Amino acid sequence: METRQVGSTGLRVSRLGLGTLTWGRDTTAEQARSLLQTYCEAGGNLLDTAAAYGSGETERLIGRLLGDVVPREDVIIATKAGFAIRSGQRVVDTSRGALLRDLEGSLRRLGTDYVDLWQLHTWGEAPLEESLSALDLAVAQGKARYVGVSNFVGWQTAQAATWQRALPGRTPIASVQVEYSLLARRAEVEVLPAVRSLGIGFFPWSPLGRGVLTGQYRNSTPRGSRAASDHFSWFVEPYLEQRSRAVVEAVARAADGLGLTPLQVALLWVRDSPGVTAPLLGARTSGQLMPALAVEDQELPAQIASALDDVSGGPMAARADERVATG
């Protein structure tokens, strides 16, 4: 699989990442093993997780698979800290102490001495400079190689990146991770311009519109799908309204004309959008993952990408600028 540089750092990752949100809950240990094997055999190397996923069980599962399925040094492990679900309640704590405790827990569960990319999971109430000092310390101690932020809006991303650049010795922000797909293009307003200007990598989560862009909900809600589950239905429902249906139908028509699946068309649109480093795939089984991996040598025709821009929210200024720059 082709690799891409993460912003202006020396870190390189495969241009499709593997997300692990469902591992240990909706994805069994055996399914996770199969997913990791399939992904690594295709040349993938970016494994994204978080201390909060499965209340730590996801990282434990990854730790059991590392060294067995794939050597630790062959995988880029990205994890996150500062967010948790406790007693059914969302808890955000981005204080220095809480972040460092999260990191120690992640290292213990993953069975590794370091993570390749350690990220603030969300913006918190602690002073930003305090949160960022935890990132600096983690790198200084060799417990993280690169650092990033997740779910920051544009001004928050710019503020964090600028603070880290203000004095020598601070660790630059390498990446930002937010939702981005044909059904969620808000990142184009501020986040993507910020990352392009500041030389930061960009990892879109939910590039398939929380599964809706695969077309599986066109006629009904399949049993076993996220929308049919008690704990994920709230996550999918916002994208089942009328505007989303028009986008899904456009993706399906493009797929028919190109001999691809809707999943593949939606993924290609994200993967090759200006500023994107690597979309994070949230497949729950290797059967769901394989069609995504099969697009390695594919790309959308320019006119199809532009048509999807138009139907999903309007022309993409960065795409036009990119075409002008490349002649």
Side-chain angles (χ1 to χ4, degrees):
M1 188 183 299
E2 183 179 323
T3 63
R4 289 174 174 169
Q5 184 177 358
V6 181
S8 57
T9 73
L11 181 64
R12 296 193 68 88
V13 298
S14 53
R15 61 177 178 172
L16 292 177
L18 185 60
T20 62
L21 173 64
T22 64
W23 288 24
R25 182 170 58 180
D26 300 311
T27 297
T28 67
E30 191 54 41
Q31 288 171 327
R33 174 182 293 273
S34 179
L35 277 166
L36 187 56
Q37 288 175 331
T38 300
Y39 175 69
C40 292
E41 286 171 1
N45 72 350
L46 174 60
L47 195 60
D48 181 77
T49 189
Y53 293 173
S55 299
E57 184 54 35
T58 301
E59 289 181 329
R60 291 188 190 93
L61 177 52
I62 292 171
R64 292 194 293 269
L65 294 175
L66 289 177
D68 183 9
V69 174
V70 60
R72 165 66 184 92
E73 59 271 19
D74 290 350
V75 181
I76 302 298
I77 298 178
T79 194
K80 298 179 279 293
F83 171 78
I85 301 294
R86 297 175 187 150
S87 302
Q89 299 297 313
R90 171 190 170 105
V91 177
V92 174
D93 189 346
T94 55
S95 65
R96 177 186 170 103
L99 291 171
L100 294 174
R101 284 194 300 272
D102 279 355
L103 177 59
E104 291 297 333
S106 290
L107 295 175
R108 183 176 62 254
R109 291 186 292 269
L110 290 164
T112 184
D113 295 330
Y114 69 95
V115 293
D116 299 279
L117 177 62
W118 190 43
Q119 305 154 98
L120 296 179
H121 203 151
T122 188
W123 183 270
E125 294 183 359
L128 179 62
E129 56 269 32
E130 178 181 337
S131 302
L132 294 174
S133 73
L135 303 186
D136 290 334
L137 182 60
V139 173
Q141 293 178 338
K143 295 177 180 179
R145 293 185 169 177
Y146 296 89
V147 298
V149 296
S150 177
N151 299 313
F152 277 34
V153 298
W155 70 265
Q156 294 167 343
T157 301
Q159 184 175 350
T162 302
W163 178 269
Q164 290 302 92
R165 292 181 175 194
L167 290 175
R170 290 178 182 162
T171 306
I173 298 297
S175 65
V176 61
Q177 182 181 139
V178 301
E179 183 175 14
Y180 185 53
S181 75
L182 279 161
L183 296 180
R185 292 178 58 185
R186 292 179 298 277
E188 292 173 26
V189 178
E190 290 186 349
V191 175
L192 277 164
V195 302
R196 287 193 296 268
S197 175
L198 295 165
I200 298 174
F202 180 57
F203 299 121
W205 58 261
S206 206
L208 302 178
R210 309 186 185 187
V212 174
L213 289 165
T214 65
Q216 65 175 316
Y217 300 108
R218 290 173 75 187
N219 300 312
S220 62
T221 300
R223 180 178 298 179
S225 66
R226 287 184 176 180
S229 69
D230 292 335
H231 54 276
F232 264 130
S233 59
W234 65 270
F235 184 66
V236 179
E237 284 173 358
Y239 290 167
L240 297 179
E241 37 78 28
Q242 189 61 42
R243 188 197 72 84
S244 297
R245 292 177 187 173
V247 178
V248 171
E249 292 305 316
V251 170
R253 286 195 300 272
D256 287 341
L258 296 170
L260 300 172
T261 68
L263 178 156
Q264 292 171 326
V265 168
L267 179 59
L268 285 169
W269 183 90
V270 175
R271 188 196 70 185
D272 297 332
S273 287
V276 170
T277 305
L280 303 174
L281 302 169
R284 289 178 291 162
T285 68
S286 57
Q288 294 175 347
L289 179 63
M290 290 174 67
L293 299 176
V295 302
E296 175 61 20
D297 297 324
Q298 301 279 346
E299 62 181 36
L300 290 182
Q303 63 270 29
I304 297 296
S306 293
L308 292 173
D309 292 348
D310 292 342
V311 76
S312 64
M316 186 188 300
R319 195 188 303 281
D321 292 343
E322 189 176 73
R323 287 173 185 159
V324 170
T326 58

